[in-house]
Amino acid sequence: MASRPVLLVIAHGSRDPRHAATVHALVRRVRAMRPGLRVETGFLDFNVPSVHGVLESLAAEGVRDVVALPLLLTRAFHAKADIPSVLRQAPARLRIRQADVLGPSPLLTAALERRLYEAGLSPADKSSTGVVLASAGSSDPEAIAVIAEIAREWRHTGWCAVRPAFASASLPRTEDAVRELRELGCAKVAVAPYVLAPGFLPDRIARGAAGADVLAEVLGPAPEVARVLLERYDAAWQPLITAVGA
């Protein structure tokens, strides 16, 4: 049987050192959950190693198959343009399959909810609490529609209300959604950042949550996030191996 492809986690990168630290913590959790799977990390910008550098190193080692997994929650510009462009520049000997982005996934919604409980809410608070699903934002209509749909579906699990908000590119902002939930009559308002790691935009979300009762932590290296990474990897590499063996 052919060996499993290397999993290359592709992160955006940030000048904020908390970003890379969180990415590396998540990758360590993935490795712990799947012993024997080789997992590498590459960054599109700001941090090292670069995606291109990792791919060059893998090719020099004789690696043949790679699953490139975008560490992204929606299919926006980076997933549709930046990452495919970088992968097209990879050494020719590599067979690369780009995995799907992480979201949407029931596991991510479960992680959001657990972060809210860690921040002080309890299941008994759901019916009286309005939640702001605060994402980084995008100019891509598909990405915005996905966030809105997650908010609609999450509302049906028992929360008083759930409203999407965006830290950039789109409206409403977090503070506007907090105010709307207050006006709606929710006894409590909580902000759930739908972001993977700390940084500039998550900090903007936190400032916008000043009027809320609860602000959850970012998703970070949550076990649910690690499980989604492995699900996306498995879904991507099985067709690859089947094709190689055909």
Side-chain angles (χ1 to χ4, degrees):
M1 179 179 177
S3 60
R4 287 180 293 182
V6 172
L7 169 56
L8 172 58
V9 176
I10 300 179
H12 182 272
S14 171
R15 293 186 178 90
D16 190 321
R18 296 174 298 169
H19 173 89
T22 302
V23 170
H24 291 311
L26 175 59
V27 168
R28 286 194 297 271
R29 187 179 285 275
V30 171
R31 289 180 180 134
M33 293 175 68
R34 185 72 62 88
L37 173 62
R38 181 172 178 181
V39 187
E40 300 292 341
T41 308
F43 295 90
L44 291 174
D45 207 353
F46 302 116
N47 302 106
V48 292
S50 68
V51 175
H52 183 72
V54 174
L55 292 171
E56 291 278 358
S57 296
L58 290 174
E61 289 179 33
V63 170
R64 190 75 171 97
D65 294 310
V66 177
V67 169
L69 195 156
L71 198 60
L72 301 167
L73 295 173
T74 59
R75 270 183 47 79
F77 181 78
H78 294 303
K80 294 177 179 178
D82 282 354
I83 291 176
S85 176
V86 171
L87 296 180
R88 282 194 294 269
Q89 300 171 38
R93 68 162 281 110
L94 293 176
R95 286 191 296 248
I96 303 174
R97 183 175 292 269
Q98 182 175 330
D100 289 338
V101 297
L102 303 185
S105 167
L107 284 169
L108 295 179
T109 307
L112 287 167
E113 197 149 310
R114 189 164 59 79
R115 289 293 190 228
L116 287 172
Y117 295 151
E118 290 170 350
L121 292 179
S122 74
D125 294 316
K126 289 188 74 167
S127 63
S128 60
T129 301
V131 178
V132 178
L133 179 67
S135 76
S138 173
S139 57
D140 188 304
E142 178 186 347
I144 298 305
V146 166
I147 299 301
E149 180 60 23
I150 294 170
R152 282 192 293 269
E153 292 185 1
W154 201 14
R155 161 70 181 84
H156 295 317
T157 66
W159 295 101
C160 173
V162 180
R163 295 288 186 272
F166 307 94
S168 68
S170 307
L171 296 174
R173 295 285 183 256
T174 301
E175 53 268 34
D176 299 325
V178 168
R179 185 166 51 252
E180 179 186 349
L181 290 172
R182 290 282 187 214
E183 294 171 351
L184 191 63
C186 298
K188 290 183 179 180
V189 176
V191 174
Y194 190 57
V195 292
L196 288 165
F200 176 75
L201 294 178
D203 285 348
R204 180 179 288 176
I205 290 171
R207 290 193 296 273
D213 301 291
V214 172
L215 170 62
E217 293 291 333
V218 299
L219 293 170
E224 297 92 342
V225 178
R227 285 175 58 194
V228 176
L229 262 73
L230 290 171
E231 284 185 356
R232 298 293 185 258
Y233 169 80
D234 290 339
W237 87 270
Q238 294 293 349
L240 185 152
I241 295 302
T242 300
V244 171

